[in-house]
Amino acid sequence: NIVLTQSPATLSVTPGESVSLSCRASQSISTSIHWYQQKSNESPRLLIKYASQSISGIPSRFSGSGSGTDFTLSINRVESEDFSIYYCQQSYSSLFTFGSGTKLEIK
Amino acid sequence: EVQLQESGPGLVKPSQSLSLTCSVTGYSITSNYWGWIRKFPGNKMEWMGYISYSGSTSYNPSLKSRISITRDTSKNQFFLQLNSVTTEDTATYYCARSSGYYDASFAYWGQGTLVTVSS
């Protein structure tokens, strides 16, 4: 199985700050990584696919980068609505896996 | 607009089977890929499996002996059955659609349904 390790587990920031969330794969997965946001009591929302491809309707402050084993989700100037949990998911292998999530909380 | 809605019992007894339905509107399940994903208490997410546009299936090997995903194209629904459940299967269950035939991100999700396994 491909293990995805997300760090940090929790990130405390002030609105207006810019942040980077990390997802590291246990083996090279090219760019087959996708990022989701999940707010409390809601279903996950796709933010970025294939490492850096933007999704229609997602604010431009969200961006993704990386390839191989190291990937980053960046949020430029965090807004109050961004405080939630973020997951990465890989589709390189036929056994899809998710990271354990990063919780973005208000400092 | 594609919409997905899970339904099924919220409480299942240990050793019994968990059965959920995903009803889809706005898009035919004979196109694309349709999956089940669950989120455990404590936030761990697990992909369970999918059924394709053709009816072929793929399952998480950790569940392979217990899981079955089927469909009814006339009702535009697909189903999850998980046998011999334990308390470890307590989770919120989501159905989802892949973004494309060659795109294994999940762009569309149901609202999720909490299933508790308890006697």
Side-chain angles (χ1 to χ4, degrees):
Chain A
N1 297 3
I2 297 174
V3 177
L4 300 178
T5 302
Q6 290 190 245
S7 61
T10 304
L11 188 55
S12 300
V13 302
T14 303
E17 285 187 56
S18 295
V19 299
S20 293
L21 284 60
S22 172
C23 178
R24 178 165 291 178
S26 58
Q27 65 182 74
S28 179
I29 58 171
S30 185
T31 58
S32 297
I33 199 79
H34 319 296
W35 291 94
Y36 301 86
Q37 175 193 58
Q38 188 172 30
K39 299 181 180 180
S40 183
N41 297 321
E42 295 185 7
S43 54
R45 178 172 71 149
L46 180 64
L47 297 177
I48 298 287
K49 65 180 182 179
Y50 293 97
S52 61
Q53 294 182 22
S54 59
I55 303 298
S56 175
I58 300 301
S60 59
R61 62 181 181 275
F62 292 95
S63 64
S65 62
S67 66
T69 60
D70 291 318
F71 302 91
T72 300
L73 174 70
S74 299
I75 310 175
N76 186 29
R77 291 196 287 273
V78 172
E79 299 189 5
S80 58
E81 65 191 36
D82 300 336
F83 292 101
S84 54
I85 300 176
Y86 293 84
Y87 294 96
C88 54
Q89 174 235 326
Q90 64 80 22
S91 60
Y92 183 82
S93 79
S94 58
L95 171 53
F96 302 155
T97 52
F98 288 84
S100 55
T102 290
K103 182 179 181 181
L104 186 66
E105 64 177 27
I106 300 176
K107 182 185 285 186
Chain B
E1 177 189 4
V2 57
Q3 294 189 327
L4 298 86
Q5 176 74 57
E6 305 89 350
S7 59
L11 180 64
V12 181
K13 294 186 187 305
S15 79
Q16 293 188 345
S17 293
L18 178 162
S19 295
L20 296 177
T21 297
C22 183
S23 300
V24 180
T25 57
Y27 199 89
S28 173
I29 64 168
T30 59
S31 298
N32 229 304
Y33 291 81
W34 305 87
W36 288 97
I37 296 153
R38 61 183 178 176
K39 182 176 178 180
F40 299 100
N43 295 329
K44 176 185 173 184
M45 298 273 282
E46 179 180 67
W47 171 76
M48 301 180 72
Y50 68 70
I51 187 164
S52 77
Y53 55 92
S54 67
S56 64
T57 55
S58 177
Y59 301 133
N60 188 321
S62 70
L63 301 169
K64 198 158 191 176
S65 62
R66 299 196 292 137
I67 189 173
S68 177
I69 299 176
T70 57
R71 67 179 184 171
D72 183 337
T73 57
S74 68
K75 295 182 178 179
N76 217 39
Q77 296 176 325
F78 63 106
F79 312 99
L80 170 70
Q81 181 170 319
L82 186 66
N83 299 324
S84 305
V85 299
T86 72
T87 55
E88 304 290 305
D89 294 308
T90 293
T92 298
Y93 287 76
Y94 296 95
C95 57
R97 197 207 88 179
S98 66
S99 300
Y101 285 96
Y102 303 106
D103 183 340
S105 62
F106 294 99
Y108 302 93
W109 295 68
Q111 66 185 30
T113 187
L114 175 62
V115 178
T116 301
V117 179
S118 175
S119 55

